[in-house]
Amino acid sequence: MNTLLRTIIYLCLFAFEVAYAQEVINSPNGNLQLRFELSDKGEPVYQLSYKDKKVIIPSRLGLELHKSPALMEGFKQLSAETALVDTVWYPVWGQESQIRDNYRELMILLSQPKVKNRQMRLRFRLFDDGLGFRYEFPKQDILSHFVIREERSEFALTDDHRMYWIPGDYDTNEYPYTFCRISEMDSLQSEATIFIQDQWPIKNLSTQTPLMMKTDNGLYINIHEAALADYPAMCLDVDSRTKVLRSHLVPDAAGNKGYMQTECSTPWRTIVVSDKATDILASRLILNLNEPCAYEDVSWIKPIKYIGVWWEYFLGLSKWSYTTSNNVRLDTDYSKLKPHGMHGATTDNVKKYIDFAAEHGFDAVLVEGWNIGWERYSFIWKNDNFDYVTPYPDFDVQALRDYAASKGVKIMMHHETASSVANYERRLDKAFQFMVENGYNSVKTGYVGAIVPRGEHHDSQWMVGHYEYVVRKAAEYKIMVNSHEAVRPTGLCRTYPNWLAQESARGTEFESISENGNHPSHTCILPFTRLMGGPMDYTPGILETDISSFGKKKNRRVHTTLAKQLALYMVMYTPLQMAADIPENYMKYKDAFQFIKEVPVDWERSLYLEAEPGEYITVARKAKAKDAWFVGGITGENSRIAMISFDFLSPSQKYIATIYADGSDAHWDTNPKAYKITTRMVTSKTKIQQYLAPGGGFAMSLKPVKR
């Protein structure tokens, strides 16, 4: 055999091996294994297992492009690189003071010979608690600008898993959760897609992420995304027959999904998996996949505990608007209009909230409805609805600035955009400068209504870029942001820690808005779903659970016990916690209110002691820079006994435990305000059994005994 022929044969064999080689990596602890290969069509295929149990069976990866050949098949593998990373980083705020970032990485470089050797990278990071992967596009002449028609990432499941899901939608995340098997989704989709203002449900069977599932062989699986930037949010199409989930990106007004320019990459697709539900809650995989903090100076970023002129609106005690006239413009002279007499954001009323905040140790007072334009602000696709600097005649900006400063309290700004986003961006610098000049250092943004520019969606690429733009612009003015009705979070709070919280799910306000409110299991689901991506401004602390007692909302109630409202401060983590009830109600329950006053919003350690999605969660957290612990537990619609071991306490230290618990006859529906407060001594050897009523909970403070 001559040399040339041997060389040709060798090269052919080498090409065959590279095209069909299988790459395998294991997580640092060996529990997870990732396999990658190309199919006989040159399709990228991956699969994932946990402790030899299949999690994702062979699933294809790729993207369909607009007016260009797809990035889905015809690939050959050029190279494979691996790396092991093990570092620690320190968040500005969080559930822990330090986070370990430990993973094994596999980077595959692919090319398409039939498309002028167009290249794409697939980067996988395998952690002890799950997998992250993304698409990367090197800078190249053949692929400089391109438009994504659809991303075709698959998650092929092994069986008919049970799942907690909300319908796929381009504009709202505020559906209640449905619990069923994948095969049952078809029959329940219509019922699950309840009416919500400005919804845009996906017509085919689909779900939003984070998606929480449990398998019959005892695995817990969570699918979401990380580091969503300059790209549309991902929903998942569901094939209930084959049990395959496929990415479904939110389109723009033209029906396209993403506009890309190389060098660029997609967000990470995440799969968190364990045989313990507590491990899902303790996972920091999504945070670890985000870029480090973008700011050199973070001294101005502080966690906040606040109250606000807010819940009284939902009780029907006052209104956001100033007058009954709804034909108003930004140049309307409101001083010439007759007030309707129920405006909530008045100078005198806000002063009362400031006094209450100062007396009880709260950092800030949120004031909604202070600025002109609320008379007809949403659901009409109006453009210039707010200017963010002009107050109503009965709101004295300067007087309240000085009064709040004299009391050591901040006022929290409110920017409701009514989804007129173009208007907001035009006015953003002026609005933030107004805040700085008047002593505001935090803002709650809102996006109620249909998006302007018309035809865009809340979760489209353009809007995803807008939310990030607002946060980055706010940082220039040293302002912290709490965004409502925005795209669900994906861990960007690591990169932009002034993005303290988001809503992006069905919060407490629905207890008043909807006759059905929030099911008792709702807050046992959210930490496994919505909160996987980042903190939520859920607005707990409603101690007067009977909303109808105010005479404005018949048959409305909070679907928890009073004690569970306290426990939510532990379970629903956020560095921005609101005591959402009106001050008068806290004075009715002063002893229970004490826990809200004492509970921190920033933590040294967090330990999830027991959990089951939709049923119960118990968590212990250590206050930052203090030897003080707090414990909280909640349950769904069934009562239960929480088993608590205090072995996390310092071995040589005794603690006084103050326990806020359901009464023996408490029930979220029939007797929600039955609670009891007890104290006892505990040590690291103590174990207790704590009763939780149906829809109930408990909260506990543990303070060291002085020696």
Side-chain angles (χ1 to χ4, degrees):
M1 185 180 296
N2 62 46
T3 302
L4 178 60
L5 183 57
R6 285 200 303 269
T7 301
I8 293 173
I9 292 173
Y10 172 80
L11 289 175
C12 289
L13 289 173
F14 177 78
F16 179 84
E17 289 173 359
V18 170
Y20 299 100
Q22 186 177 83
E23 305 291 344
V24 180
I25 60 170
N26 295 312
S27 61
N29 67 4
N31 285 340
L32 280 154
Q33 185 176 86
L34 168 75
R35 292 180 177 271
F36 172 84
E37 61 187 338
L38 293 175
S39 73
D40 56 2
K41 295 181 180 179
E43 302 164 302
V45 176
Y46 79 102
Q47 52 187 305
L48 182 68
S49 62
Y50 176 83
K51 294 183 179 179
D52 296 324
K53 294 181 179 180
K54 294 178 180 179
V55 178
I56 302 294
I57 56 179
S59 300
R60 294 170 296 184
L61 300 174
L63 297 102
E64 184 181 351
L65 306 185
H66 181 67
K67 295 182 179 180
S68 183
L71 289 159
M72 297 178 64
E73 62 182 19
F75 285 104
K76 70 174 183 179
Q77 181 175 318
L78 297 182
S79 64
E81 300 176 8
T82 61
L84 179 63
V85 174
D86 192 359
T87 61
V88 173
W89 59 280
Y90 303 89
V92 176
W93 45 259
Q95 300 188 63
E96 301 90 8
S97 60
Q98 64 179 35
I99 295 175
R100 186 182 183 189
D101 188 10
N102 183 205
Y103 60 85
R104 182 167 276 110
E105 181 174 278
L106 171 65
M107 192 280 288
I108 306 291
L109 178 61
L110 303 171
S111 72
Q112 287 179 306
K114 293 183 179 180
V115 193
K116 298 182 181 180
N117 289 310
R118 189 172 56 175
Q119 293 185 358
M120 178 177 75
R121 290 191 297 262
L122 290 171
R123 192 178 300 272
F124 300 90
R125 288 182 180 173
L126 193 59
F127 299 79
D128 289 340
D129 50 350
L131 172 68
F133 67 86
R134 72 180 182 187
Y135 304 86
E136 298 177 355
F137 310 98
K139 190 174 183 179
Q140 52 196 301
D141 291 338
I142 188 62
L143 191 67
S144 57
H145 296 77
F146 61 99
V147 178
I148 297 174
R149 178 176 290 174
E150 188 59 273
E151 181 184 324
R152 298 297 184 185
S153 300
E154 291 185 347
F155 305 84
L157 305 174
T158 60
D159 205 348
D160 192 14
H161 302 334
R162 290 166 286 175
M163 57 195 300
Y164 290 91
W165 62 285
I166 57 176
D169 195 292
Y170 299 157
D171 279 296
T172 184
N173 322 109
E174 295 180 331
Y175 294 103
Y177 281 90
T178 299
F179 176 56
C180 69
R181 291 192 179 273
I182 300 170
S183 61
E184 299 170 327
M185 289 181 68
D186 279 303
S187 63
L188 295 172
Q189 184 182 22
S190 178
E191 180 182 343
T193 312
I194 66 170
F195 173 76
I196 297 176
Q197 288 283 2
D198 293 305
Q199 66 193 139
W200 198 290
I202 298 172
K203 293 181 180 179
N204 55 279
L205 188 62
S206 62
T207 177
Q208 295 185 44
T209 70
L211 172 65
M212 187 67 216
M213 296 176 286
K214 185 178 181 181
T215 72
D216 288 341
N217 63 350
L219 293 185
Y220 298 87
I221 304 170
N222 184 280
I223 298 177
H224 190 34
E225 56 184 324
L228 174 62
D230 195 21
Y231 200 83
M234 179 182 73
C235 294
L236 296 170
D237 288 337
V238 180
D239 188 324
S240 58
R241 182 182 61 84
T242 64
K243 314 301 184 289
V244 175
L245 313 178
R246 294 181 180 87
S247 54
H248 181 131
L249 304 181
V250 176
D252 67 1
N256 295 319
K257 302 299 179 84
Y259 301 84
M260 314 291 283
Q261 179 179 357
T262 58
E263 173 122 352
C264 60
S265 62
T266 70
W268 297 91
R269 280 61 189 98
T270 63
I271 307 168
V272 179
V273 58
S274 181
D275 51 11
K276 296 179 181 178
T278 51
D279 289 345
I280 305 297
L281 299 177
S283 173
R284 302 296 173 255
L285 179 149
I286 290 173
L287 283 175
N288 279 328
L289 287 169
N290 277 266
E291 293 298 312
C293 180
Y295 313 136
E296 291 186 8
D297 175 23
V298 294
S299 61
W300 51 278
I301 301 173
K302 306 290 184 184
I304 299 172
K305 192 189 296 185
Y306 72 106
I307 61 172
V309 183
W310 180 75
W311 188 239
E312 64 180 66
Y313 296 135
F314 292 96
L315 295 176
L317 302 179
S318 62
K319 296 181 178 181
W320 284 272
S321 62
Y322 174 79
T323 178
T324 55
S325 175
N326 61 21
N327 190 9
V328 294
R329 302 176 184 271
L330 290 179
D331 59 359
T332 297
D333 186 352
Y334 277 82
S335 66
K336 296 180 180 180
L337 299 179
K338 181 179 180 180
H340 53 50
M342 291 191 67
H343 185 217
T346 67
T347 300
D348 289 343
N349 193 34
V350 173
K351 282 184 175 181
K352 293 177 183 178
Y353 277 85
I354 292 172
D355 289 340
F356 187 84
E359 180 182 354
H360 297 285
F362 289 91
D363 303 305
V365 175
L366 167 69
V367 182
E368 295 194 8
W370 68 276
N371 55 320
I372 63 170
W374 284 86
E375 282 69 25
R376 185 78 185 275
Y377 78 97
S378 68
F379 312 127
I380 54 176
W381 267 4
K382 186 177 179 180
N383 192 16
D384 292 320
N385 40 23
F386 298 111
D387 68 5
Y388 310 102
V389 296
T390 305
Y392 281 124
D394 56 357
F395 185 88
D396 191 325
V397 173
Q398 288 74 30
L400 286 169
R401 174 195 63 197
D402 296 341
Y403 190 77
S406 72
K407 297 284 186 173
V409 173
K410 289 285 188 181
I411 302 178
M412 183 180 293
M413 175 56 72
H414 185 227
H415 288 167
E416 176 53 64
T417 69
S419 288
S420 182
V421 181
N423 174 61
Y424 188 41
E425 288 196 356
R426 286 198 309 271
R427 302 176 186 274
L428 198 55
D429 275 296
K430 187 176 180 180
F432 283 161
Q433 186 60 42
F434 176 87
M435 288 179 60
V436 172
E437 291 171 355
N438 291 286
Y440 296 81
N441 69 344
S442 62
V443 59
K444 174 183 176 181
T445 61
Y447 296 89
V448 174
I451 300 294
V452 179
R454 297 173 179 90
E456 284 290 343
H457 295 291
H458 283 74
D459 295 352
S460 67
Q461 182 185 29
W462 190 83
M463 279 302 297
V464 166
H466 164 77
Y467 304 129
E468 183 179 353
Y469 171 75
V470 171
V471 170
R472 292 171 65 99
K473 178 63 69 174
E476 295 177 16
Y477 293 86
K478 296 186 176 181
I479 290 170
M480 296 170 284
V481 178
N482 169 25
S483 50
H484 280 228
E485 294 88 32
V487 68
R488 48 202 175 276
T490 59
L492 283 171
C493 56
R494 176 186 179 183
T495 309
Y496 308 116
N498 63 317
W499 204 345
L500 291 184
Q502 296 179 233
E503 183 191 36
S504 307
R506 192 177 179 90
T508 296
E509 64 204 56
F510 279 88
E511 300 282 28
S512 170
I513 295 172
S514 168
E515 186 172 347
N516 294 326
N518 295 333
H519 191 273
S521 67
H522 184 61
T523 48
C524 296
I525 300 170
L526 284 173
F528 288 98
T529 52
R530 159 63 185 79
L531 272 73
M532 290 295 292
M536 179 180 178
D537 185 28
Y538 186 73
T539 60
I542 306 300
L543 302 191
E544 180 49 73
T545 58
D546 184 4
I547 297 172
S548 65
S549 66
F550 294 92
K552 304 289 184 179
K553 304 267 188 174
K554 293 183 178 180
N555 301 317
R556 296 287 200 277
R557 65 179 64 204
V558 176
H559 290 62
T560 76
T561 65
L562 184 150
K564 185 174 181 178
Q565 286 292 312
L566 304 181
L568 292 177
Y569 288 92
M570 297 301 303
V571 174
M572 302 288 289
Y573 169 70
T574 173
L576 183 83
Q577 282 283 20
M578 186 181 194
D581 213 337
I582 59 176
E584 295 87 337
N585 288 340
Y586 288 129
M587 293 300 92
K588 289 167 58 177
Y589 305 100
K590 290 182 180 180
D591 52 356
F593 181 49
Q594 186 62 31
F595 181 82
I596 298 176
K597 293 167 60 174
E598 291 183 359
V599 64
V601 291
D602 198 15
W603 304 99
E604 183 80 22
R605 290 179 63 197
S606 294
L607 303 172
Y608 288 92
L609 307 182
E610 53 179 4
E612 184 64 27
E615 295 186 24
Y616 57 86
I617 300 171
T618 304
V619 61
R621 305 189 194 270
K622 183 180 184 296
K624 187 170 284 188
K626 296 179 181 178
D627 187 17
W629 285 81
F630 293 78
V631 183
I634 62 174
T635 188
E637 58 187 333
N638 299 314
S639 64
R640 68 180 301 268
I641 302 293
M643 312 295 290
I644 306 170
S645 172
F646 292 90
D647 54 4
F648 51 82
L649 296 175
S650 300
S652 59
Q653 179 67 58
K654 293 181 179 180
Y655 296 79
I656 292 292
T658 303
I659 305 171
Y660 303 78
D662 293 318
S664 59
D665 58 346
H667 189 287
W668 72 267
D669 188 23
T670 59
N671 196 16
K673 290 176 282 189
Y675 68 97
K676 59 182 179 180
I677 302 174
T678 59
T679 59
R680 60 173 294 175
M681 191 85 68
V682 298
T683 70
S684 61
K685 297 181 180 179
T686 304
K687 296 181 180 180
I688 67 171
Q689 298 181 9
Q690 181 61 55
Y691 174 72
L692 290 80
F698 73 91
M700 188 184 307
S701 65
L702 302 166
K703 299 178 181 179
V705 177
K706 295 182 179 179
R707 300 177 183 178

